[in-house]
Every structure is written in C-alpha cells, then in structure tokens.
Amino acid sequence: MKIFHTSTDDQFGFALVKEEINEALLKNDPPAAAAKITKLMMKEKNITLNIAITGEAGSGKSTFVNALRDLSDGDEGAAPTGVTETTMKVTEYPHPKYPNVTLWDLPGIGTTKFPADEYLKLVGFEKFDFFIIISDTRFRENDVKLAQEIQRMKKKLYFVRSKIDNNMRAERRKRDFSADEALTKIREDCVNNLKKLGVESPQVFLVSSFELRLYDFSLLHETLEEDLPEHQRDALLFATSSISLEIINKKKAAFQSRIKYNAFLSAAAGGVPIPLLPETIDVSMMAAVVTQYVDGFGLDKPSLERLAANTGVPYSDLCDVMKSSLAKQEIDKGQIMKVLTSLAQTAVLQATGEAAKWIPVFGFAAGMSLSFCTTYTALNYFLDTLAEDALKVFERALSGNK
C-alpha cells in the first residue's frame, strides 16, 4: 500500500524517503513519519538548478539574467548591463527569492579572454544544468561551434532570439504590418541560418526580456520543464515570474501537493485541542508556508512594485484587486491567528472530506486529527485565496493602464 506517491526519479533519494514515510505511517509511527517528512522537505529545499546564459557580446545576456530573476536593470543585485560587453568573467547571480536557483552570466564567446575553441573549459561547463545561447540578430558561427560542443558534452541547450520588442516596434511602422507574420519571419530567418551553419532541427524562442509574458517565453519555460529531471521542475517553476495563467495554476498545484506534509507535521506535534482552535497548530510554520505562497505568486510588495513599473499599471490598482490581507506585507503569527480564528468562528474549519480521508491512514488521536484537519483546511484556504489574487493581479496588469 502506498500512501504518498513515489517517483522513479531518485537521483536525490526522493523515492526512497517517500517509501520510508509510507512505512512509518503504515506502522502507525507518527514521530518517525514526521522526521522523514522533514527530511523530504529539506531535500526539496536544497535542490539546485544552475542555468548558463551565454552568447556573443552585446546580445542582451545580462538583461535576460535580470528578467529571469524578476529584477529590472539597475535594481540592487542586478547584473550590470550596457551597450558593450559588460560581463568579463563568469558571474553567478542567485535568484533573490530562491537562492538554490542560480543564473550564470557568461562572457561573450569569441572575446579575447574566452576564445571559442576553449570556451566551455574556461567557463567550467560541468556545473551547469543547461545552456541558453542568446543572440539579438542572427546566430553566428561562434554560437554554432558552442552549441555543437555543448551537445557533444551531453548537455541541453536552447537558442533564444532576444530584443524582439525592438524588432516589433520597427515592424509596426510598415503599412502592411502583421504581428504573426513578422514573428514568423524572424523565427524562420534564425532557424534557416542555424541550419546553414550545421545545426539539425533547431528550435528558436523569441523573447523580450522586458515583456516576458509576450512572445515565446512561456513556450521556453514549458520546454525546459519537459526536459528537466522531475526533481528540478518545481525549482524552475517557483523561480519563474507569474507571467501566465498556466504558470500560476502550476504553482498552485505544486504548493497544494505539499499541504498534506505540512498538516501532518502540525498534527504530529501532539497536544490537546482548545476551544475553536487546537493548540497543536504550529502557527509559525503556517506563517512560513503562507509567506512561500505570497512570494511564489509575486504578491509581495517589491514584486508588485516592479510589476507596476513594468506595465504602467499603478501599484494601488494592483493592490485594489486583491482579496487577501496577507499579500503585500510580511506575514506574522498574529495575522495567521486572526484569520484562523475568523475561519473557525464561521465554521469553515471543519474536518472536510478531503482532509478527513487521511485520518484513518495516519491513525491520529482526536487532538491530532483536529490539528491535521485545521491546518490542512486553513492552508488550502490561504492558497486558494492567494492564487485567486495572483490571477486577478495578472489580469489587471495585462489590461494595461486604463
């Protein structure tokens, strides 16, 4: 009997730990199960993802690195940008919210210090999980040499045609302008040029680092997800800005899959319930989890301010569409307790069918059962509310400054 789903991808031992959790639960050993769940969560937290961004000098590598880290050029901690080559050494930029995900800004291939034939060795290709090769015009011979060498080393690589927003502004001046035709022309030009240089079946993603929600970035993200090992997909997902309805919904599903673990840890703490709320609830843990939701959906104040600046939609307008009082601010225990009490008083926190179905499996005592159901139902409430807010913010930002 399997209680929690296990994966065939066991590079970091996830399947083994989940089997150990199953065994502890079947033996009705909550302390052992809690220890194994904590171990699993630590493993997930420590998953690393190293993304190399490379290409010729001036292709927009640094701006793309900043965009992937949800930063604007000039923000504190952003990669320096300029009209000439600004990356003179291999530079790591951890994601500000998810430091386990690191973007590596590599010097332009073919520069004096990094000649094409020694490039991969000099930048230390072994540590990167995949490469993104960027060009703001046509991909050139050096790009292809690099791509072929990366493939020889059995690493994944992706071609990104940058600065598409500039091209589209120029195309709009034409009398017979068609966005779809313009994008198709740019893409086909890049693909045909790569084929001429010896790349078989190349796929090129058209991206604007200033408007990730447009063009091919969502397709790029989807492709990366498909190609990455299972244990790294969520790391990429959480580090990606909530630029589409699909990504928001995927984040919600990923967060939701962890709720049973958090609820179990709360219940396994033991204790006797008090009126309305069980004292076994770990409010600090719940505050930390809700903070993850806020950060993951980009509902924290810095993210909302950057979104307002990038879209021209006033910050106050973005805030106005949100229902939750937990967004836009740091989460503390007092806020969580206030919401929990309100939910309990309105009889929302009940042993619902979804939460209660775990109780016979876990073999909880009465107090632990109440704690599990309370935490499980509350976290689902917080997640549903914040995911709905994320969708509203996305739609408001997409509508522009009206």
Side-chain angles (χ1 to χ4, degrees), residues 316-384:
S316 59
D317 286 9
L318 297 177
C319 293
D320 287 345
V321 302
M322 291 190 288
K323 173 184 177 182
S324 175
S325 61
L326 296 170
K328 305 166 290 183
Q329 56 189 310
E330 293 186 9
I331 311 300
D332 59 36
K333 294 170 63 174
Q335 293 169 295
I336 297 296
M337 285 300 297
K338 182 178 179 181
V339 176
L340 287 176
T341 303
S342 173
L343 288 172
Q345 289 172 339
T346 56
V348 175
L349 285 180
Q350 302 174 19
T352 61
E354 180 63 25
K357 76 178 185 181
W358 297 100
I359 302 306
V361 175
F362 294 149
F364 286 151
M368 295 173 68
S369 298
L370 180 57
S371 178
F372 179 90
C373 288
T374 301
T375 304
Y376 186 95
T377 309
L379 286 178
N380 271 288
Y381 169 82
F382 290 133
L383 180 59
D384 287 345

Side-chain angles (χ1 to χ4, degrees), residues 49 51 101 221 224-225 228 232-240:
L49 183 61
I51 306 170
V101 177
H221 180 271
L224 294 176
E225 272 194 321
L228 279 173
Q232 290 179 318
R233 291 174 191 166
D234 283 353
L236 174 69
L237 176 64
F238 292 136
T240 302

Side-chain angles (χ1 to χ4, degrees), residues 24-165:
L25 292 174
L26 291 173
K27 290 180 177 179
N28 195 20
D29 188 352
K36 297 300 182 182
I37 289 173
T38 301
K39 179 181 178 181
L40 178 67
M41 288 181 165
M42 289 303 297
K43 279 180 173 287
E44 289 183 337
K45 185 177 180 181
N46 292 328
I47 292 171
T48 60
L49 183 61
N50 292 284
I51 306 170
I53 313 297
T54 186
E56 290 194 335
S59 59
K61 300 188 307 296
S62 297
T63 297
F64 188 67
V65 165
N66 292 336
L68 291 181
R69 296 168 66 229
D70 196 24
L71 295 177
S72 300
D73 294 346
D75 284 352
E76 182 178 357
T81 59
V83 295
T84 58
E85 175 63 33
T86 56
T87 306
M88 302 309 295
K89 62 179 181 178
V90 178
T91 308
E92 61 179 306
Y93 292 98
H95 193 283
K97 293 180 183 176
Y98 301 95
N100 57 313
V101 177
T102 302
L103 285 297
W104 296 81
D105 193 358
L106 307 187
I109 185 172
T111 56
T112 304
K113 292 185 178 180
F114 293 87
D117 57 347
E118 300 179 51
Y119 188 85
L120 284 178
K121 179 180 177 180
L122 291 172
V123 301
F125 78 95
E126 299 92 347
K127 61 177 169 282
F128 306 124
D129 292 297
F130 61 86
F131 289 76
I132 293 177
I133 301 177
I134 291 183
S135 175
D136 62 336
T137 53
R138 288 186 174 185
F139 293 93
R140 305 184 189 281
E141 187 175 354
N142 277 344
D143 298 315
V144 172
K145 287 181 180 178
L146 176 59
Q148 292 170 338
E149 191 65 14
I150 292 171
Q151 289 177 327
R152 191 178 72 82
M153 299 293 185
K154 308 297 183 183
K155 296 277 187 175
K156 290 285 187 178
L157 70 108
Y158 307 89
F159 292 101
V160 167
R161 171 62 162 79
S162 64
K163 304 182 182 180
I164 293 300
D165 48 327

